[in-house]
Amino acid sequence: QYVHLDFEAAVNTDLTIELFNLTGAKVGEWKVQKNSDKYCEVSLNEPLRKGLYIIKVSAGQHVVAKKVQV
């Protein structure tokens, strides 16, 4: 199982991607090196259960968190 992220512009900085369940437990964390693509994919160690999750993407001082449903 993979998490696929699309960006509006090319990723020109290193990213930290974190995935949390709704109880706040961290499900996964990945470091992504900068590249010229407008997307990235990270693989999960195990399949996610159906439900809501919070995905947090950090690039230096900039942080974006969004709810996602599986």
Side-chain angles (χ1 to χ4, degrees), residues 7-61:
F7 303 102
E8 291 180 11
V11 178
N12 60 5
T13 186
D14 293 346
L15 301 175
T16 300
I17 301 168
E18 297 171 285
L19 187 64
F20 300 89
N21 63 23
L22 287 185
T23 63
K26 189 182 290 187
V27 177
E29 179 175 357
W30 304 269
K31 304 286 185 187
V32 178
Q33 293 183 343
K34 64 182 176 179
N35 60 48
S36 61
D37 295 328
K38 292 185 179 181
Y39 70 92
C40 72
E41 283 187 348
V42 293
S43 61
L44 301 170
N45 292 335
E46 57 188 61
L48 295 176
R49 293 182 178 169
K50 288 186 178 184
L52 287 174
Y53 292 85
I54 305 292
I55 192 160
K56 179 178 161 186
V57 180
S58 304
Q61 298 278 339

